Amino acid sequence: MNKVAIIGAGPAGLTAGYLLAKAQADVTVFEEHPVYVGGISRTEKYKGFHFDIGGHRFFSKSKEVEDFWTEILGDDMLHRPRKSRIFYKGKFYSYPLKAMEALTNLGMLEAALCILSYAKARMFPVKNPKNFEDWVSNQFGRRLFNIFFKTYTEKVWGMSCREISADWAAQRIKGLSLTQAIYNALFKSGSKTEGDSSKVIKTLIDSFRYPRKGPGMMWEVCAQKIIQMGGRVEMGTGVRGLYYNAGSRTWRVEVERNGKKEFLQDFDNVISSMPMRELVRILHPSPDKKVQEAAEKLKYRDFLTVMLILEDKNRFDDNWIYIHDPNVKVGRVQNFKSWSPEMIPDPQYCCYGLEYFCFEGDGLWTSKDEDLIELAKTEIEKIGIAKASEIVDGCVVRQKKAYPVYDDLYRENVRAIKEGLQSYEGLYLVGRNGMHKYNNQDHSMMTAMLAARNILAGQQLYDVWNVNEDAEYHEAGVAGEESFEAGRQIPKKVSSA
C-alpha cells in the first residue's frame, strides 16, 4: 500500500488526498491551520456570517474537475450569475465591457482616443513583450492600459507594471483583447457555460457554480470524506522537515503540533503544496547552493480582507467590484450575499469584504484590526457604496503568500529549483504556491489529480508541470475538457519534482 504524506489541506492537497484515499492508499494530510481547511479557498466565519478569502468561482474547462466538485457536494452546488464591475473616476464600468456604457462613461473624446491608441498598438506592437505593461498595451492600447489595468495591477502586486512578467497577463487574460471584448459586449459570444466549455474565455463567463455555504464547504466535506475512507487530516500540524533516504527511497517527515516536534517514518511519496521557497528550506539532504539561492529569490504578495456588516439596502449585486481609483487603498470589494444568500445568517443584513494587498510586515499588514476597520469604513464611503455610519460590525482576516510574484526572474528561479529537485524521488509539487504558478483553484486541482495518478500507477505517466494556467493539458495538445488519459505520455520519463 502506498503511504503518502500530503503537505497542505488546500484544493490541491485535499484533491490528491481524496483520490488516493479512494484508491485505498495510506494518506496523511498535514495542515498548519488549527481550524480551517481549504487554504486560500477556505471560508471563514464570524458571528454566523460566512466569507470567502479572495473570491472563488467554480468554473473549469476540465471535465474531471467539474465531476470532482459534483461528486463531493452534489446538490449543495448552486448556479450563480457572474457580475463584476470596475470603479474608475467615480463611475462604474461593467466587466465584461458593455460598449455603449463604456462610451458614455468615458465620453466620446476619451473613447475615440482609446480606439486610436488601440489602433496604434495593433499597427506598431511591442515585439516579444516581456513585461505586463507592454503585453496589455499590445492587446488593448496604452490608453486603456492606463485606465483599466495599471492602477489595480500595481495595487495587487506593489510594484511597477514594467517589473511584472508578461507571463502573468498572458495567463490571466489569455485570449481577450479589445476587439474580443467589444465583440462579446455586442454579441455575447462565448459567454455561456453550456456546450463546449473548453472554448470559453474564462474572463468572460457569465455564470458559475458555487457551494451554498462558500468554497470552504467543498473542502470541509472533502476532508471529512478522506477521514471516512481511512485517511488522516492532521489540523494544527506544520511540517518542519523532510528527510529523503535515497537508499530505501522513502521519506521521514518532521512535524510540529501543540509546540512539540516529532518524526513520522517511511512515507513512499510526498505531495507538497507548501510555498516552494519554504519547501527548499526544510529538505534534507539540502539541495545544492544554486537551488537554495533560487528559492530565496522567490517573492510572494500577501493580502488582508476587512469584512464589514451592514443593513442590506440593495446597494449593488456584483460578486465583486475592482477598485481602480488611486485615491483609495482598497483593491477590490466583495459582496458575499451575491456569491450565495446562505453566506448571510440574517437576510436584513449584507456583508462586504474590502481587500487590501500588502506585504507581510508592512504598514497595512501590521495595523491594528480596529484601525483597518476604520480605514475600510472611510473608503467604502469615499467610493460611494455605503456610509461609514451604516457599518454595524466587522473583522479582519490576513492571508500570507496569497500570490506568487511573477517578477522578471521568477521563471529562471523556478526552473532551477525544479531541475534541482529531480533527485528526490517520490516528491511531487502541486498547487499555486507549491509550483509558484498563479493557478486558479481548478488548475491546482488538476496538478494534484495527475500527481495522484502517477503515484497509483507507480510510474511517471504525466508531467504535472505541463498543466498550464488556462486549464489545458499540453502533453499531447489536448484541452482539459477531454480526459487526462488522452494526454498520457508513455514511455517518456518525466520529472516527479
Side-chain angles (χ1 to χ4, degrees):
M1 177 184 292
N2 277 313
K3 187 177 181 181
V4 185
I6 299 175
I7 306 174
L14 290 177
T15 296
Y18 178 83
L19 295 174
L20 289 167
K22 188 176 178 181
Q24 299 184 327
D26 184 349
V27 173
T28 305
V29 182
F30 300 106
E31 172 53 51
E32 190 159 19
H33 200 290
V35 178
Y36 295 109
V37 296
I40 198 174
S41 296
R42 71 187 182 277
T43 299
E44 297 242 3
K45 304 173 182 66
Y46 176 76
K47 296 183 179 179
F49 289 83
H50 291 58
F51 53 101
D52 198 343
I53 309 300
H56 298 276
R57 300 186 181 111
F58 284 69
F59 171 86
S60 179
K61 294 182 179 182
S62 165
K63 183 178 186 300
E64 283 87 349
V65 170
E66 290 281 356
D67 289 347
F68 184 99
W69 289 332
T70 300
E71 183 173 334
I72 298 297
L73 279 190
D75 292 339
D76 283 324
M77 292 288 279
L78 306 177
H79 285 271
R80 301 296 298 158
R82 175 212 195 274
K83 182 179 179 182
S84 56
R85 288 181 293 171
I86 293 170
F87 178 79
Y88 172 73
K89 285 191 175 181
K91 295 181 180 180
F92 291 95
Y93 295 77
S94 297
Y95 190 76
L97 174 70
K98 292 184 178 179
M100 293 309 299
E101 176 192 74
L103 288 171
T104 301
N105 283 355
L106 286 173
M108 293 303 295
L109 176 59
E110 182 62 47
L113 291 172
C114 287
I115 292 172
L116 289 173
S117 175
Y118 174 68
K120 180 181 178 182
R122 302 310 292 172
M123 292 174 64
F124 308 103
V126 176
K127 294 183 179 180
N128 301 315
K130 302 296 184 183
N131 62 65
F132 180 88
E133 180 173 330
D134 289 343
W135 192 97
V136 175
S137 295
N138 278 356
Q139 297 296 109
F140 293 89
R142 195 159 297 274
R143 201 169 189 95
L144 277 176
F145 161 77
N146 286 322
I147 293 173
F148 290 123
F149 293 91
K150 179 178 171 62
T151 299
Y152 177 76
T153 301
E154 293 184 350
K155 279 185 184 182
V156 171
W157 294 107
M159 56 197 292
S160 165
C161 288
R162 300 200 67 81
E163 298 177 86
I164 302 169
S165 171
D167 291 353
W168 185 69
Q171 73 181 62
R172 302 308 291 181
I173 46 181
K174 180 178 180 180
L176 184 62
S177 65
L178 180 61
T179 302
Q180 184 67 50
I182 292 175
Y183 184 84
N184 279 279
L186 295 174
F187 302 106
K188 303 294 286 184
S189 173
S191 64
K192 301 297 182 182
T193 58
E194 291 86 358
D196 186 1
S197 64
S198 70
K199 303 302 182 185
V200 177
I201 297 172
K202 273 194 177 183
T203 315
L204 300 179
I205 64 170
D206 62 4
S207 67
F208 56 92
R209 291 198 293 169
Y210 192 77
R212 59 185 182 84
K213 290 289 188 179
M217 183 183 188
M218 173 70 67
W219 304 115
E220 289 161 9
V221 173
C222 186
Q224 292 166 7
K225 289 179 179 290
I226 291 172
I227 295 169
Q228 291 168 2
M229 291 186 292
R232 290 167 295 280
V233 180
E234 304 286 350
M235 301 300 295
T237 305
V239 174
R240 302 291 179 251
L242 287 173
Y243 298 80
Y244 177 61
N245 186 323
S248 62
R249 298 182 180 178
T250 59
W251 291 84
R252 184 166 55 125
V253 180
E254 182 184 14
V255 300
E256 181 179 4
R257 44 189 159 207
N258 299 321
K260 297 180 180 180
K261 292 185 179 180
E262 62 179 293
F263 286 94
L264 304 175
Q265 306 285 348
D266 299 330
F267 288 93
D268 301 300
N269 299 97
V270 173
I271 296 177
S272 174
S273 65
M274 73 188 303
M276 187 182 280
R277 187 175 68 192
E278 275 58 46
L279 173 69
V280 171
R281 289 174 177 174
I282 67 169
L283 272 176
H284 303 275
S286 298
D288 65 35
K289 188 176 180 180
K290 178 183 178 182
V291 173
Q292 295 180 52
E293 290 175 348
E296 293 305 317
K297 292 175 184 176
L298 296 180
K299 300 174 184 177
Y300 303 86
R301 186 67 162 161
D302 315 287
F303 85 101
L304 56 86
T305 299
V306 183
M307 191 268 280
L308 302 178
I309 300 170
L310 59 165
E311 186 178 347
D312 190 3
K313 295 183 179 179
N314 296 316
R315 296 172 183 85
F316 70 98
D317 60 356
D318 305 69
N319 308 121
W320 61 44
I321 297 174
Y322 299 97
I323 308 301
H324 288 224
D325 189 337
N327 297 313
V328 292
K329 295 181 179 179
V330 63
R332 191 167 61 179
V333 179
Q334 303 271 357
N335 181 356
F336 298 112
K337 201 171 193 175
S338 288
W339 288 96
S340 169
E342 294 191 44
M343 303 273 276
I344 311 301
D346 186 337
Q348 294 184 14
Y349 291 92
C350 60
C351 178
Y352 299 152
L354 279 71
E355 295 178 356
Y356 292 88
F357 306 96
C358 51
F359 290 110
E360 183 181 355
D362 69 11
L364 269 177
W365 183 269
T366 58
S367 295
K368 295 179 180 179
D369 286 5
E370 53 267 33
D371 293 337
L372 289 168
I373 292 171
E374 286 303 314
L375 171 66
K377 289 165 66 175
T378 299
E379 293 200 336
I380 202 168
E381 180 167 319
K382 186 178 288 188
I383 296 167
I385 291 177
K387 294 181 179 179
S389 59
E390 295 177 312
I391 310 303
V392 299
D393 202 353
C395 70
V396 178
V397 175
R398 292 168 176 80
Q399 176 61 50
K400 297 179 182 179
K401 296 179 177 61
Y403 308 112
V405 172
Y406 277 30
D407 57 24
D408 55 355
L409 294 176
Y410 94 97
R411 182 185 289 274
E412 177 183 329
N413 292 324
V414 170
R415 183 184 299 112
I417 296 167
K418 184 174 74 167
E419 291 174 355
L421 298 187
Q422 289 184 1
S423 61
Y424 297 85
E425 294 194 35
L427 175 62
Y428 291 86
L429 276 56
V430 298
R432 174 181 286 193
N433 280 337
M435 305 176 78
H436 206 82
K437 282 188 174 184
Y438 197 122
N439 285 339
N440 285 331
Q441 178 177 227
D442 62 327
H443 310 142
S444 294
M445 292 172 64
M446 289 172 70
T447 64
M449 289 175 172
L450 297 186
R453 292 190 179 195
N454 284 341
I455 289 171
L456 293 173
Q459 57 181 310
Q460 305 306 306
L461 301 181
Y462 301 91
D463 186 345
V464 175
W465 290 89
N466 278 342
V467 173
N468 92 327
E469 294 81 358
D470 196 40
E472 294 174 346
Y473 181 70
H474 276 308
E475 186 68 43
V478 180
E481 177 70 11
E482 300 180 25
S483 171
F484 289 149
E485 289 302 315
R488 187 163 70 177
Q489 180 70 27
I490 302 175
K492 176 184 174 183
K493 187 181 188 301
V494 294
S495 166
S496 63

